[in-house]
Amino acid sequence: SQQGEEDPQALSIQEGENATMNCSYKTSINNLQWYRQNSGRGLVHLILIRSNEREKHSGRLRVTLDTSKKSSSLLITASRAADTASYFCATGPKGGGNKLTFGTGTQLKVEL
Amino acid sequence: DTEVTQTPKHLVMGMTNKKSLKCEQHMGHRAMYWYKQKAKKPPELMFVYSYEKLSINESVPSRFSPECPNSSLLNLHLHALQPEDSALYLCASSHQGLAVTYEQYFGPGTRLTVT
């Protein structure tokens, strides 16, 4: 089973609206990361939040982490058509190491 | 330079062929990865190299053979593949994680079709 489950699986919004996607995970982590993937391309790292942080901002991105609920959310404010992509959360295990475990992903479509 | 390059971009091969995928990074990263990704699915980890040594093999069939000739290069040798191996193959690199898990930098991928 997936370490990370994301919801919704797909999200369609209008340009200028905010987009929120959620990630749940099962085991203890040292950090949680969010990646974006444009269709058929490589993944791009967006933001990393450590297990002792609760909220982090980067430009139009806001990430929250609730380790007691084993969940995270990614908020994209004032969305643009260029934000259309798949978004994946990925967790690094407690204790560290190289292995990231990816969530199932959310497909975001931002319409003009 | 924060780029990971992969060649070729597209590859079509028959089930009896032997081919190789190549990956290169010049960020000084000492961990390199191969992932397989099917459409609308997350990437699945295949192999991890740490300081040019294979550190993780996620029970990948032997028809996939990784190689790390030096700290900047990563190859994936393919032999006798099956049609279900058709997928996007992604290479990534990162700093070597000890107590933390670093962000990974991905290449654009090789779209592989096995006929």
Side-chain angles (χ1 to χ4, degrees):
Chain A
S1 62
Q2 292 287 340
Q3 158 75 329
E5 301 280 338
E6 292 182 58
D7 78 272
Q9 287 188 349
L11 179 61
S12 183
I13 60 174
Q14 297 293 310
E15 203 172 43
E17 294 181 337
N18 296 341
T20 300
M21 49 205 91
N22 304 296
C23 167
S24 61
Y25 57 92
K26 296 189 173 98
T27 59
S28 297
I29 62 173
N30 75 87
N31 65 47
L32 186 144
Q33 305 176 24
W34 285 90
Y35 289 81
R36 182 188 75 226
Q37 184 178 32
N38 291 90
S39 181
R41 304 288 295 167
L43 283 74
V44 175
H45 179 261
L46 296 176
I47 194 165
L48 180 154
I49 186 165
R50 291 190 290 265
S51 59
N52 61 355
E53 297 177 308
R54 292 295 166 258
E55 188 171 313
K56 201 161 183 180
H57 297 256
S58 176
R60 295 185 294 114
L61 305 180
R62 172 179 169 255
V63 169
T64 62
L65 179 64
D66 186 335
T67 52
S68 67
K69 294 181 180 176
K70 291 187 166 59
S71 68
S72 173
S73 67
L74 171 67
L75 167 68
I76 304 173
T77 60
S79 62
R80 305 165 181 167
D83 295 326
T84 295
S86 293
Y87 291 82
F88 294 95
C89 67
T91 52
K94 185 174 180 177
N98 289 328
K99 187 174 177 177
L100 274 178
T101 302
F102 284 85
T104 51
T106 294
Q107 291 182 58
L108 173 66
K109 184 174 182 181
V110 181
E111 299 185 271
L112 295 170
Chain B
D1 182 1
T2 58
E3 189 180 24
V4 176
T5 59
Q6 288 187 246
T7 55
K9 286 187 168 52
H10 301 276
L11 179 62
V12 179
M13 61 185 290
M15 289 189 285
T16 58
N17 290 159
K18 287 185 181 181
K19 296 285 185 184
S20 297
L21 309 185
K22 297 186 183 301
C23 173
E24 190 168 7
Q25 59 90 12
H26 294 288
M27 292 177 276
H29 291 163
R30 302 311 296 270
M32 296 186 76
Y33 311 78
W34 281 114
Y35 289 88
K36 174 184 176 180
Q37 187 180 27
K38 292 280 204 178
K40 298 189 189 300
K41 297 290 187 183
E44 296 174 36
L45 184 64
M46 300 174 71
F47 302 105
V48 181
Y49 272 82
S50 176
Y51 291 99
E52 294 115 72
K53 291 191 187 326
L54 184 64
S55 60
I56 297 176
N57 176 343
E58 293 285 90
S59 302
V60 178
S62 60
R63 57 186 184 268
F64 295 91
S65 175
E67 178 196 20
C68 190
N70 60 53
S71 60
S72 300
L73 293 173
L74 188 65
N75 298 322
L76 186 63
H77 303 298
L78 313 173
H79 173 55
L81 294 192
Q82 303 296 310
E84 58 265 29
D85 296 322
S86 298
L88 182 68
Y89 287 84
L90 294 163
C91 174
S93 70
S94 75
H95 291 298
Q96 170 60 37
L98 294 173
V100 296
T101 306
Y102 287 96
E103 60 269 31
Q104 295 181 13
Y105 292 77
F106 284 80
T110 293
R111 174 72 61 189
L112 174 67
T113 303
V114 182
T115 60

